[in-house]
Amino acid sequence: MPEVLWDDWILDGCFRSNDNTAGSNTIEAILVTAHNDLLCLKFATEFAETRENPWLYHIASGPSSILYSAHMLRVDAGPRLLVAAGTVYGEVLLWSFTLDHSVSPEVYLHYRFTGHGGSVFGVRISEASQTGVVKRVLASCSDDRTIRIWNISDTSNSKNAEILPNGEVNKSEAGLPEETNETASTGCLAMIMGHASRIWGLRFLVQKDECWELMSCGEDSTAQGWRVSPVLDKSRTIRTPHDHTYQLSHQATYSYHSGKNLWAMAVFRKAHEDCIIATGGADGCITTYKPLLHQTPARTSAYTGQYTMDELFETLQTTSRELSSSRAGKAQCSTGNIFYSLKGSWKLSRELDSLVSLYPSGTLGGIAIFAERLPTDDTYDGEYLYSESGNFITQQGLTMRATRQYVYRYRRATDVISVWFVKPDDGSAVDYFFHKLDFRETDPGIDPGPAIRSARGYHLCVEDNYNATYSFKLRDSKIIQWHAVFDVDGPTKDYTAKATYTRDHAETLEPKEPENMVLPSMKKSQNALGNQSEQNKPDTFKTYTWISENEVLATTEHGNLLVGILTSNTETTHLGDSWNVSWQHVGRQTSLISSCIATSIPSLGIALLSGTDGILNLYNHRSRETDAIVKLPGKAGFLKAQSLSGRWNRWSRLSHQSDIVGVLATCLGSSRATVLMFSPGTPTVARSTEGEAGFSAIHECHLTLQSKFIVTSSCFLDTETWLILGSRNGDIAIYDLAHTTPNLTLDVAPNCFQNMHGEDAITLIQTVPGEVSKLTGRTAIITAGRDGKWAIRRVFHIFENSRLCVTLQTLHVGVPPFGPNIEGARFDSTRKDLLLWGFRSKQFVVWNESQKTEVMAMDCGGAHRNWAYTHNQGSSGGGTFAYTKASVCHIHSQTQAPHQVVQHGGHGREIKAMAISPESKTNDDDAPLRLVATGAEDTTIRIFDLNAHLKCLSVTTKHTTGIQQLRWSSNGQLLFSAAGCEEFFVWRLQPAPLVTIGIVCEASCPAVTEHADLRIMDFATEEIRSSHYHDPDNDENASEPDYLLSTVYSDSSVRLFRYSSGQKKKTFELLTEGSYTTHCLTQVTHLHIGETLSGLCTASTDGHVAFWRFPNPFHPLCHDDDDHLPTTTTTTTRHPPLHYTTRTAIHQNSVKALDRVSISPFETLIVTGGDDGAIALTRVGIRKESEMGFGTARLLIPRAHTSAVTGVVFLGEKSDRRGGNHNGNKGFRLASVGNDQRLKIWEVTVGLEKEGVDVGRVADVYTSVADASSLGTYRDDADDDDGQRWLLVAGIGVERWRIGDPGGSLLSRDLR
């Protein structure tokens, strides 16, 4: 249907039910205006005839008032229409009108509510309640930041309503309250203060049990959920509306938008008690999500659980009792049976067959005793001291006395028997790990004969391999005989020892019954978890580390190790909570009491833990065993484990192992870092905890740290043998270990880089995956810190001072909208997304940097707590977060984000500057890239990809005030930005992995004045020949030019700077400056004679255009003759000050926009747009080159727009169809935009032989971009003059227009 206009705001509308009078082919809608009038909009279906009927007409008028909000609701699906109106003066009106052609139209005023302290921006009528005394309520929100709920149950009785004659003006003045109005009501049921600023609107969601759920949106860009519920006054026995005190309670806050103002909200009711919310904000983003309803979380694929130590103790005790009960009636040949059957005395017979003379062959006969004792490690359930003694007779007949001791241990949680060496000088104390018995299931067969269970063990002692084989014969779960065979081989050993153990019947001891076998574990669980009275303080959760995507290892204050396993109940996935966490107790380490630091490698299923005594424990999740592997010099202050590749295998001389683990550890107060490397696949990776000779497969070496370098992050590079460390004060140290050997002490000096993240701690260093790296043959890393920034940096070799060094080059710096604590990152190789996580105030946030969307936000209380997060690979919003809050373990897991982004947004405030880059390529194989940079009042600069439907590639937040202007260099590698407080930054854009384009601030111009509020209003850039010598072999930027920067300020000053970008240290040189008048300069552009830069053109708030001639020393800045270039690099040498030569009045007041185009080598056409709504065309020519004087001629187009002209841009030259210029004229197309939201195209014809300018308007369209500030234009193919030309309009949002031929539609909006 065609567009229909009405001279008023339309605030709300609803459809009118079809009836016979309306006609079956006609649809009618009722609209309410800002003057409280009802309109009928009639439009026809495809085959209807409606020529005789008006499209839009007035049908009724409510109480005379000026409205900011309104809502209409058809009551009981009948003809009566309820209208709620929110007035400018803070009143809420409720009136009704009957939409019935058979009766005379009457308007009834039911209620006039007062109480708001400001204009009412939103009103909403609820659905009727089927229960309770209050049947219907009305909600309103206001400029006073309050939400009020009003009782409007009685709207069916017209006797209590005031009849307003239709079309007549009410006695009250424009909505001011009447003191004697009988319909005025004090029926405010509830009121609450909400939002941090003004509230724009609200919506009712669902109604249940006399309760209403509603949502509000406001200027603070948040949506907030509220619950209206009654509180019954029990002192009354008769229920009336006044017996109920209703309350408004806050349910949830949804912050899915940036900037200011959440303008739009829609509700889709999926069911009676379920709905979906859609919100749209000033940032252009549209999101959908399910709200919290009836104090119950939305049914999403998320799980949140809370666990206390008391609950876990009860769970573990119950599990132990059930396990004990299930085993009590079964006589199985379990590992526990075998262990407890070993107790007592055994007759020992051993044969030794040796091939080395150093170890003679012979036989031993004697006694072996398994003496039970209390476990010396609380993580074990049983322990024996094994002692054997006897006579060893060699083959030569020599007899000697032989003794030996071991310690046998049993852990029921893992069902493992382990053997340990004892200290030689003690004879009973545990020294270090020998081996464990790896049992294999043996089928007893059908024979009633004895069952046989076999086991194997392995131990590597320096260079000797010990392979053990055990065989146990059992009857009725009791050992009747067992054998132990050791095959030993090495450089100096080669023998086999076969031992047979038979029970000494003189001392036969019955093994423990199966039902008692679990009692030690029960006792251990009670002592470790439940007997709090024996501890100084209750047991609490300490640290968390993930050992797989759904399994977390937790330690406690008392040294307990717990594994939480997150499982999904597939039978109830259609319900809300389909997840559960089950806990297992896997041991206790006394060294972890009170203090623990942990790290893990989930892909290997291992974790490393260290406590106050410096003992480093290795937890193997497959076996559920924890073993001490090394003792650090002191208490660990930093610990990080990483899986390493083959390069580190060769360096550590573990090349026979497929994978190895690298560990970096530092101790508190120590100036050394410990590097450990071992293979996780070795059967035993134990080492003496007392610092004695231990397991040789663990390589240990030490690095010397720089002074005051406290390690907070580390990374072993896979592509090089480089170790990178990050410190607490923002420094990075790189150790090149390529030319070292893994000795105990590594004498290597690091390459240090200071303040890479300011003076804040570096929390993350990790390698960029090779499959996404665009830097062939070069290594890139990701770093992040508590300065709220993350970066991509290239690491490479350079020659410096005649030696090979390792250096860093920053390729990209990002600032996600949370922080300042960025704690982790992960690249999702399945979805090709980069995920970052950290803390924003009291929330833990997961952010998708690739999609610029928030994945998770959990209110955990802040960063100062123990926590761990793991991201689910391949999931759009999946991850699990474990943390401690108030001594309670919380686990939150989700498989998708709680909200979905329908349309990605941009700036949250109005855009003030826009610049389109030249077309370029990031790599030879990539498609051409064209970017648009926008700067807004929200102080951010955003980079969008024009070829990807304006996809946001990067967001920078270095500026502290609103952006004033943006300019690109001619090669598109540099972006210049200016703002208030004299902020002027230079940004370098370059190829980088993980992102489409990398951006980093490479320089900032120092402030020249002491005025804190001085603004750079505009600037012009020009490439000039570099005045510095470059060595092409050592300087990658040798071919880069210098830049002349002409800046104009709000204090009426002009300054010229020379920016040198080709040097390692970027410099700004102040060349000269000048002053205009007392008016603020708003625009500036460069003027040329041919290709020579000759002067400036400025515009100001006084409506004048001024021309500035450069003094002679600046005349040849663009020439290639180095003799004419200024060569000074300091600000002590100044050129003569600038003075304007010509000043011409153009506009009545401020000049808002300026652009230029070259007419000839000696003449330029300048277009300006003013605050007076006019467009001016000024011809600027230099008639006498020797005198350098400017001549001007101008043409003014008054009332080109009905408000200020805020953007003008030349669209290029319009050639005559016959080719060339026709009749000595030259034609251009010009675009303009203003605050009237009109976009216009003009054709400009300039006479080349005479000073004539002709202008004609060829297009005038409405643009949906409010407060437009900038225009930009480009072609699809920059080298093709016939390529499609586009026009961008920027303001509150960005809009793209296709420019066509006059024969068709010259301007058409791009709807993609």
Side-chain angles (χ1 to χ4, degrees):
M1 62 176 294
E3 185 181 71
V4 181
L5 300 178
W6 193 265
D7 57 351
D8 201 356
W9 292 347
I10 297 176
L11 301 179
D12 194 30
C14 67
F15 286 103
R16 185 175 185 175
S17 59
N18 264 342
D19 51 34
N20 295 331
T21 59
S24 59
N25 295 325
T26 304
I27 298 176
E28 293 184 359
I30 307 300
L31 310 177
V32 59
T33 71
H35 283 80
N36 219 5
D37 294 330
L38 290 185
L39 310 178
C40 180
L41 173 66
K42 183 183 295 185
F43 53 97
T45 56
E46 185 177 358
F47 303 104
E49 292 290 338
T50 59
R51 294 181 180 179
E52 68 282 0
N53 297 326
W55 288 101
L56 186 63
Y57 55 93
H58 177 273
I59 59 174
S61 293
S64 178
S65 56
I66 301 176
L67 310 183
Y68 270 165
S69 57
H71 177 231
M72 294 186 295
L73 182 70
R74 288 175 52 208
V75 181
D76 303 326
R80 195 161 64 93
L81 186 69
L82 276 181
V83 181
T87 72
V88 174
Y89 299 101
E91 280 189 325
V92 178
L93 309 176
L94 184 72
W95 58 283
S96 64
F97 177 74
T98 303
L99 300 172
D100 192 347
H101 297 283
S102 62
V103 298
S104 60
E106 290 183 332
V107 175
Y108 294 93
L109 175 61
H110 298 277
Y111 296 98
R112 185 190 298 270
F113 297 120
T114 61
H116 278 295
S119 300
V120 179
F121 293 127
V123 290
R124 210 71 183 176
I125 304 171
S126 74
E127 299 289 341
S129 173
Q130 303 301 321
T131 60
V133 178
V134 177
K135 298 298 185 180
R136 194 187 299 274
V137 297
L138 183 150
S140 61
C141 60
S142 170
D143 193 17
D144 60 5
R145 294 172 50 204
T146 65
I147 298 175
R148 295 174 184 262
I149 305 298
W150 313 89
N151 180 14
I152 58 170
S153 299
D154 188 12
T155 58
S156 59
N157 189 356
S158 60
K159 295 181 180 180
N160 296 328
E162 178 185 353
I163 301 177
L164 299 179
N166 187 24
E168 295 186 10
V169 179
N170 189 26
K171 295 179 181 180
S172 64
E173 296 183 4
L176 290 175
E178 294 180 280
E179 296 180 0
T180 60
N181 184 14
E182 296 180 356
T183 61
S185 174
T186 58
C188 183
L189 298 178
M191 185 273 288
I192 196 169
M193 181 78 71
H195 292 268
S197 53
R198 291 175 292 183
I199 307 174
W200 296 134
L202 34 74
R203 294 288 188 277
F204 280 101
L205 304 182
V206 296
Q207 187 275 328
K208 178 182 179 182
D209 299 334
E210 302 183 62
C211 299
W212 288 268
E213 307 282 344
L214 71 150
M215 188 80 70
S216 63
C217 60
E219 190 178 15
D220 59 1
S221 76
T222 67
Q224 300 192 26
W226 309 90
R227 178 179 174 85
V228 184
S229 57
V231 178
L232 180 63
D233 185 353
K234 297 182 179 180
S235 64
R236 297 177 180 266
T237 57
I238 302 176
R239 298 183 61 180
T240 68
H242 300 288
D243 294 338
H244 289 71
T245 301
Y246 274 72
Q247 63 179 0
L248 263 170
S249 56
H250 185 266
Q251 301 297 295
T253 299
Y254 306 93
S255 303
Y256 300 137
H257 297 265
S258 61
K260 292 179 62 177
N261 296 316
L262 200 62
W263 293 119
M265 180 166 54
V267 179
F268 172 70
R269 292 182 176 84
K270 297 179 60 178
H272 181 65
E273 299 180 8
D274 194 10
C275 62
I276 297 176
I277 304 294
T279 55
D283 59 354
C285 180
I286 300 176
T287 61
T288 61
Y289 47 91
K290 290 185 176 182
L292 177 72
L293 296 177
H294 304 299
Q295 299 178 337
T296 303
R299 295 177 180 177
T300 61
S301 53
Y303 165 82
T304 301
Q306 301 179 11
Y307 307 91
T308 65
M309 290 303 302
D310 291 339
E311 292 173 346
L312 290 185
F313 167 62
E314 292 296 331
T315 302
L316 293 173
Q317 272 195 328
T318 303
T319 304
S320 298
R321 293 192 190 101
E322 291 175 353
L323 182 60
S324 176
S325 175
S326 64
R327 291 187 175 184
K330 299 179 181 179
Q332 297 180 346
C333 300
S334 66
T335 305
N337 284 89
I338 293 175
F339 179 81
Y340 291 109
S341 295
L342 290 174
K343 180 179 178 180
S345 177
W346 297 84
K347 182 178 180 181
L348 169 63
S349 175
R350 179 180 290 116
E351 294 183 358
L352 182 66
D353 185 10
S354 176
L355 300 178
V356 180
S357 59
L358 185 61
Y359 298 91
S361 301
T363 59
L364 181 143
I367 298 296
I369 298 176
F370 288 85
E372 185 180 21
R373 65 183 187 184
L374 290 176
T376 57
D377 189 334
D378 292 338
T379 61
Y380 293 93
D381 301 280
E383 184 172 302
Y384 295 126
L385 175 62
Y386 170 86
S387 302
E388 68 175 49
S389 62
N391 294 323
F392 179 69
I393 303 175
T394 67
Q395 289 182 345
Q396 291 78 18
L398 181 63
T399 301
M400 61 184 71
R401 190 66 178 171
T403 61
R404 180 173 296 179
Q405 291 82 30
Y406 294 107
V407 171
Y408 281 69
R409 287 172 166 175
Y410 173 67
R411 178 181 290 161
R412 191 194 62 79
T414 57
D415 201 29
V416 170
I417 299 174
S418 57
V419 187
W420 299 72
F421 291 106
V422 298
K423 294 183 178 180
D425 56 348
D426 185 284
S428 62
V430 177
D431 192 358
Y432 59 93
F433 182 71
F434 186 14
H435 64 272
K436 69 175 182 179
L437 276 66
D438 183 13
F439 280 90
R440 299 184 177 184
E441 294 296 331
T442 304
D443 186 3
I446 304 177
D447 246 348
I452 299 176
R453 294 208 62 193
S454 58
R456 293 183 180 274
Y458 173 80
H459 175 68
L460 177 63
C461 182
V462 188
E463 296 179 336
D464 299 324
N465 295 291
Y466 286 73
N467 292 283
T469 303
Y470 293 86
S471 177
F472 299 93
K473 293 182 180 180
L474 302 102
R475 180 177 288 118
D476 298 330
S477 302
K478 303 172 185 176
I479 301 176
I480 59 176
Q481 188 182 56
W482 61 287
H483 305 274
V485 180
F486 283 85
D487 286 322
V488 183
D489 64 88
T492 60
K493 298 179 182 179
D494 190 358
Y495 65 86
T496 301
K498 300 179 180 179
T500 300
Y501 296 83
T502 56
R503 178 65 73 181
D504 185 358
H505 295 286
E507 185 183 357
T508 302
L509 298 177
E510 294 296 331
K512 296 181 180 180
E513 294 300 324
E515 58 266 27
N516 297 327
M517 285 169 43
V518 297
L519 290 180
S521 177
M522 278 286 295
K523 181 178 179 180
K524 175 201 68 176
S525 296
Q526 293 171 355
N527 290 336
L529 297 174
N531 191 4
Q532 304 290 355
S533 62
E534 298 181 1
Q535 306 291 342
N536 294 329
K537 56 183 178 179
D539 201 5
T540 57
F541 290 94
K542 197 67 181 175
T543 61
Y544 305 93
T545 185
W546 290 93
I547 47 180
S548 72
E549 282 192 355
N550 61 343
E551 294 174 301
V552 61
L553 177 66
T555 67
T556 71
E557 186 74 19
H558 293 170
N560 293 292
L561 274 67
L562 305 170
V563 172
I565 304 173
L566 183 67
T567 57
S568 173
N569 187 351
T570 56
E571 296 180 359
T572 59
T573 53
H574 63 283
L575 300 177
D577 293 333
S578 58
W579 299 85
N580 183 47
V581 176
S582 59
W583 292 90
Q584 296 178 358
H585 185 261
V586 294
R588 182 170 182 263
Q589 294 291 329
T590 57
S591 62
L592 302 181
I593 294 177
S594 299
S595 177
C596 179
I597 184 172
T599 181
S600 64
I601 306 179
S603 60
L604 301 178
I606 63 173
L608 291 115
L609 310 100
S610 183
T612 55
D613 56 2
I615 295 177
L616 188 60
N617 299 278
L618 174 66
Y619 170 77
N620 190 316
H621 188 54
R622 177 176 297 180
S623 64
R624 301 297 201 275
E625 285 191 341
T626 304
D627 299 308
I629 62 172
V630 75
K631 189 177 189 305
L632 300 174
K635 181 180 179 181
F638 174 80
L639 184 65
K640 176 67 180 298
Q642 184 178 338
S643 179
L644 304 181
S645 64
R647 182 181 293 271
W648 288 98
N649 286 349
R650 294 186 293 272
W651 180 83
S652 62
R653 299 179 181 177
L654 290 173
S655 58
H656 63 284
Q657 304 292 347
S658 58
D659 295 315
I660 65 171
V661 174
V663 181
L664 192 283
T666 62
C667 298
L668 298 178
S670 176
S671 61
R672 296 196 308 171
T674 301
V675 178
L676 303 172
M677 293 188 182
F678 59 87
S679 171
T682 304
T684 57
V685 286
R687 184 183 175 95
S688 171
T689 61
E690 301 297 330
E692 300 177 3
F695 190 60
S696 62
I698 299 180
H699 287 279
E700 177 180 348
C701 51
H702 300 277
L703 295 170
T704 302
L705 301 175
Q706 297 294 303
S707 177
K708 299 181 180 180
F709 193 98
I710 301 176
V711 178
T712 55
S713 55
S714 68
C715 179
F716 294 87
L717 292 189
D718 281 339
T719 56
E720 302 285 346
T721 49
W722 295 342
L723 175 60
I724 305 180
L725 306 181
S727 77
R728 182 179 293 177
N729 58 1
D731 298 343
I732 289 179
I734 303 179
Y735 290 84
D736 187 355
L737 307 181
H739 303 290
T740 64
T741 56
N743 300 321
L744 187 60
T745 301
L746 296 177
D747 185 14
V748 55
N751 298 275
C752 295
F753 307 89
Q754 295 183 344
N755 303 121
M756 302 305 291
H757 281 273
E759 295 183 355
D760 296 289
I762 298 176
T763 57
L764 168 73
I765 303 176
Q766 68 181 45
T767 309
V768 173
E771 65 269 17
V772 300
S773 178
K774 299 179 181 178
L775 306 174
T776 306
R778 293 180 176 178
T779 302
I781 61 173
I782 301 174
T783 67
R786 290 185 179 149
D787 59 347
K789 300 177 182 178
W790 72 280
I792 303 173
R793 310 183 194 274
R794 183 162 63 95
V795 192
F796 57 99
H797 275 125
I798 62 167
F799 278 98
E800 189 173 86
N801 299 327
S802 302
R803 70 185 186 94
L804 190 63
C805 301
V806 182
T807 190
L808 287 175
Q809 179 191 4
T810 303
L811 303 177
H812 177 75
V813 176
V815 185
F818 71 90
N821 292 13
I822 302 178
E823 303 290 344
R826 178 172 179 177
F827 178 75
D828 192 324
S829 58
T830 303
R831 304 181 65 89
K832 307 301 180 184
D833 288 341
L834 176 64
L835 283 302
L836 305 171
W837 55 83
F839 292 89
R840 175 181 59 208
S841 184
K842 294 184 178 181
Q843 287 187 324
F844 175 80
V845 177
V846 181
W847 174 259
N848 189 323
E849 178 67 14
S850 301
Q851 302 297 328
K852 300 293 186 296
T853 58
E854 187 178 282
V855 174
M856 177 190 296
M858 175 59 55
D859 189 354
C860 64
H864 300 290
R865 63 197 61 254
N866 296 312
W867 62 276
Y869 174 77
T870 181
H871 184 75
N872 297 339
Q873 184 74 12
S875 175
S876 61
T880 308
F881 177 50
Y883 63 97
T884 301
K885 185 177 182 181
S887 300
V888 177
C889 171
H890 298 251
I891 294 182
H892 174 81
S893 182
Q894 63 182 46
T895 57
Q896 64 181 24
H899 72 288
Q900 303 296 320
V901 179
V902 178
Q903 173 179 292
H904 291 276
H907 293 279
R909 296 286 301 276
E910 56 270 26
I911 297 172
K912 291 299 184 182
M914 178 178 63
I916 301 175
S917 75
E919 197 173 63
S920 61
K921 285 188 175 183
T922 56
N923 287 292
D924 294 338
D925 297 334
D926 291 344
L929 186 67
R930 190 185 291 275
L931 308 174
V932 57
T934 57
E937 282 292 328
D938 60 4
T939 75
T940 65
I941 298 174
R942 288 179 176 260
I943 308 296
F944 297 90
D945 186 357
L946 283 173
N947 297 331
H949 307 297
L950 292 176
K951 177 185 178 181
C952 183
L953 303 179
S954 182
V955 182
T956 63
T957 58
K958 188 175 179 64
H959 281 285
T960 60
T961 61
I963 311 300
Q964 293 290 332
Q965 189 57 272
L966 297 169
R967 306 281 187 198
W968 290 93
S969 64
S970 61
N971 57 10
Q973 295 179 3
L974 296 181
L975 175 66
F976 304 91
S977 65
C981 300
E982 288 191 73
E983 292 179 345
F984 188 95
F985 298 141
V986 182
W987 308 84
R988 180 168 295 276
L989 286 86
Q990 54 202 330
L994 297 177
V995 293
T996 303
I997 193 75
I999 180 171
V1000 61
C1001 182
E1002 74 171 24
S1004 62
C1005 183
V1008 179
T1009 69
E1010 297 180 356
H1011 302 294
D1013 57 348
L1014 185 61
R1015 288 175 294 165
I1016 300 177
M1017 302 299 296
D1018 194 14
F1019 64 92
T1021 64
E1022 192 80 22
E1023 290 187 7
I1024 57 178
R1025 185 177 176 85
S1026 175
S1027 61
H1028 301 275
Y1029 170 75
H1030 297 282
D1031 183 0
D1033 296 330
N1034 293 327
D1035 195 345
E1036 294 185 354
N1037 299 326
S1039 60
E1040 291 199 12
D1042 289 354
Y1043 291 87
L1044 178 69
L1045 306 174
S1046 302
T1047 57
V1048 294
Y1049 296 79
S1050 57
D1051 65 351
S1052 196
S1053 61
V1054 181
R1055 292 181 180 88
L1056 270 63
F1057 293 91
R1058 182 174 197 142
Y1059 173 65
S1060 299
S1061 62
Q1063 302 180 92
K1064 185 175 182 180
K1065 183 179 181 180
K1066 317 301 181 183
T1067 60
F1068 286 87
E1069 177 188 357
L1070 178 59
L1071 300 178
T1072 187
E1073 57 186 327
S1075 181
Y1076 174 59
T1077 61
T1078 59
H1079 294 89
C1080 171
L1081 292 172
T1082 59
Q1083 308 292 326
V1084 64
T1085 188
H1086 285 147
L1087 297 176
H1088 295 77
I1089 299 178
E1091 296 182 356
T1092 302
L1093 182 60
S1094 305
L1096 297 175
C1097 173
T1098 62
S1100 58
T1101 55
D1102 61 357
H1104 285 65
V1105 173
F1107 301 95
W1108 308 66
R1109 181 174 61 85
F1110 284 161
N1112 289 332
F1114 290 94
H1115 176 73
L1117 279 176
C1118 293
H1119 288 177
D1120 291 337
D1121 186 1
D1122 290 346
D1123 295 336
H1124 294 90
L1125 291 172
T1127 58
T1128 59
T1129 59
T1130 66
T1131 59
T1132 57
T1133 302
R1134 293 285 185 87
H1135 294 274
L1138 285 176
H1139 299 282
Y1140 63 87
T1141 58
T1142 306
R1143 177 169 171 258
T1144 305
I1146 302 291
H1147 295 274
Q1148 296 179 9
N1149 40 35
S1150 180
V1151 179
K1152 295 286 190 179
L1154 183 148
D1155 196 18
R1156 65 175 173 86
V1157 67
S1158 177
I1159 301 175
S1160 68
F1162 296 96
E1163 194 171 16
T1164 300
L1165 180 63
I1166 295 176
V1167 59
T1168 55
D1171 212 6
D1172 55 359
I1175 294 177
L1177 294 163
T1178 305
R1179 297 180 63 165
V1180 182
I1182 301 179
R1183 300 307 182 189
K1184 297 180 180 180
E1185 185 177 353
S1186 60
E1187 297 180 2
M1188 299 296 294
F1190 292 100
T1192 62
R1194 65 184 178 87
L1195 171 67
L1196 185 69
I1197 311 173
R1199 297 184 298 278
H1201 287 262
T1202 57
S1203 59
V1205 179
T1206 55
V1208 291
V1209 65
F1210 282 106
L1211 303 178
E1213 184 176 347
K1214 178 176 173 52
S1215 300
D1216 187 77
R1217 295 183 179 180
R1218 291 169 293 181
N1221 299 308
H1222 183 56
N1223 296 327
N1225 296 328
K1226 201 168 188 178
F1228 303 92
R1229 278 183 180 169
L1230 170 70
S1232 65
V1233 70
N1235 286 337
D1236 56 358
Q1237 292 188 236
R1238 304 301 298 184
L1239 178 62
K1240 301 183 180 184
I1241 303 296
W1242 312 79
E1243 285 194 354
V1244 181
T1245 303
V1246 180
L1248 299 179
E1249 299 177 356
K1250 59 180 180 179
E1251 294 184 351
V1253 178
D1254 295 327
V1255 179
R1257 189 181 66 199
V1258 294
D1260 183 358
V1261 296
Y1262 170 81
T1263 174
S1264 60
V1265 176
D1267 292 338
S1269 62
S1270 304
L1271 290 175
T1273 182
Y1274 69 98
R1275 288 188 184 274
D1276 281 339
D1277 189 348
D1279 298 328
D1280 185 6
D1281 292 338
D1282 296 328
Q1284 177 62 55
R1285 180 171 288 279
W1286 299 89
L1287 180 65
L1288 293 184
V1289 184
I1292 299 181
V1294 177
E1295 193 174 56
R1296 184 163 67 168
W1297 292 79
R1298 183 194 304 268
I1299 301 177
D1301 295 327
S1305 177
L1306 184 58
L1307 278 175
S1308 57
R1309 185 183 285 109
D1310 183 18
L1311 300 178
R1312 291 179 294 175

